[in-house]
Amino acid sequence: MPVLPSWLTEPLWGQFVALLPERPEYHPDHPLGCHRPRIRDRIVFDKMLQLLRFGCSYQAIADTTCSATTIRNRRDEWIRLGVFARLKQIALESYDRIVGLVLDQIAVDGSITKAPGGGEVAGRSPVDRGKQGLKRSGMTDGYGIPLGRVLAGANRHDSPLLAPTLDRLDNLGPLPDDITVHLDAGYDSDKTRTLLDERGLHGRIAHKGEKAPIQASQRWHVERTHAWQNAFHRLARCYERRATVIDAFFDLADTIITVRSLIRQAWTTHRWDERPHRRP
């Protein structure tokens, strides 16, 4: 059974392969010109999707078609080329052009997940008996499309991560004149309000000590996006130790979420050759 449906995998691969540089099948420096052929990029790409979705180890996903070392080496090569970050940016631009990002309503919140292996951005989790954990401060538009994130240890408070998270708005091009940022009670402080005023943003912040159901504002969009991301088990229980690798997997997950939402919303308004017969 495929890890993702073909109507989602094929568009992802079509854009992904367009970002890859051309590589010869055999290494040109080999003296006999007959070295083992290079493993096809499509095989490694499918392995990366399986790793992201199932959260298993590299050794468990390796088989006769591709070794664990090849997966790691190709992953690092693509990270150096900036392929994952560029793929996510193209997905956002496509979504904005066809459907439209709801940038006048922004939601930001943090989410803590497990990080049993520790690593560069892991810390003692206050909700898991001091075990190693990972916090991501995520930002979404008014529908829940992930716009960016900041990674930190699980022991970091949400409030200091707000400024670097909002910096991700600079990569989105022209922004609306009036932007409202929806935040939970963890951001209820004068420092947060001053930060928003300096950036020309309006804040809708839940007050500490007052019951505020998540449906009372548009803050629930970012909570739903956290749930979408946690459906990828490599993000919900992260064994990666390097921040660049974790960001790459997050970029790939965010791309899948964005493209999936794009296809679902465009299904009723657009027609294309590979359009699913039923609404996804």
Side-chain angles (χ1 to χ4, degrees), residues 114-116 123-134 154:
K114 294 179 180 292
R124 291 173 58 86
S125 176
V127 297
D128 194 19
R129 297 171 293 172
K131 297 180 181 179
Q132 291 293 296
L134 172 70

Side-chain angles (χ1 to χ4, degrees), residues 75-89:
R75 174 205 67 191
D76 293 340
E77 176 186 335
W78 292 341
I79 291 175
R80 288 193 299 270
L81 293 173
V83 177
F84 294 105
R86 181 57 184 153
L87 183 68
K88 179 195 172 185
Q89 188 65 28

Side-chain angles (χ1 to χ4, degrees), residues 18-194:
L19 298 175
L20 299 178
E22 293 186 3
R23 291 286 192 272
E25 183 179 1
Y26 296 93
H27 199 286
D29 296 335
H30 193 273
L32 300 179
C34 58
H35 196 263
R36 292 175 59 187
R38 175 183 171 90
I39 302 297
R40 292 190 295 115
D41 290 326
R42 179 59 190 268
I43 294 176
V44 183
F45 179 76
D46 289 339
K47 295 293 185 184
M48 290 288 292
L49 293 179
Q50 295 174 31
L51 287 169
L52 176 65
R53 180 63 180 85
F54 301 133
C56 54
S57 66
Y58 292 90
Q59 288 76 11
I61 209 67
D63 53 24
T64 56
T65 64
C66 184
S67 68
T69 301
T70 299
I71 299 174
R72 292 192 187 94
N73 291 341
R74 200 71 59 87
R75 174 205 67 191
D76 293 340
E77 176 186 335
W78 292 341
I79 291 175
R80 288 193 299 270
L81 293 173
V83 177
F84 294 105
R86 181 57 184 153
L87 183 68
K88 179 195 172 185
Q89 188 65 28
I90 292 175
L92 278 177
E93 293 172 355
S94 301
Y95 184 95
D96 192 25
R97 184 175 63 255
I98 298 174
V99 178
L101 292 170
V102 186
L103 295 178
D104 58 340
Q105 303 292 329
I106 301 296
V108 179
D109 197 14
S111 176
I112 296 177
T113 55
K114 294 179 180 292
E120 296 176 351
V121 289
R124 291 173 58 86
S125 176
V127 297
D128 194 19
R129 297 171 293 172
K131 297 180 181 179
Q132 291 293 296
L134 172 70
K135 170 171 283 190
R136 63 176 182 269
S137 176
M139 178 175 59
T140 67
D141 77 334
Y143 177 77
I145 300 300
L147 303 178
R149 87 208 69 84
V150 173
L151 302 178
N155 54 343
R156 294 287 302 279
H157 195 271
D158 289 345
S159 183
L161 301 176
L162 178 60
T165 304
L166 293 176
D167 289 341
R168 301 299 188 270
L169 289 173
D170 298 337
N171 302 325
L172 299 178
L175 298 173
D177 295 333
D178 295 326
I179 300 178
T180 301
V181 183
H182 299 267
L183 303 167
D184 63 16
Y187 300 89
D188 186 16
S189 66
D190 293 336
K191 184 177 180 180
T192 298
R193 294 182 175 85
T194 301

Side-chain angles (χ1 to χ4, degrees), residues 190-246:
D190 293 336
K191 184 177 180 180
T192 298
R193 294 182 175 85
T194 301
L195 172 66
L196 296 177
D197 290 340
E198 292 175 349
R199 295 171 178 255
L201 305 175
H202 304 290
R204 186 172 183 184
I205 308 173
H207 297 289
K208 294 179 181 179
E210 297 181 9
K211 291 184 178 180
I214 193 173
Q215 298 87 352
S217 69
Q218 298 191 33
R219 181 169 48 87
W220 67 272
H221 291 292
V222 68
E223 302 287 354
R224 181 179 62 175
T225 301
H226 283 317
W228 286 343
Q229 292 171 333
N230 288 338
F232 299 99
H233 293 285
R234 196 157 204 87
L235 307 181
R237 191 178 182 89
C238 182
Y239 285 92
E240 302 290 352
R241 298 183 58 84
R242 289 189 290 151
T244 54
V245 177
I246 301 174

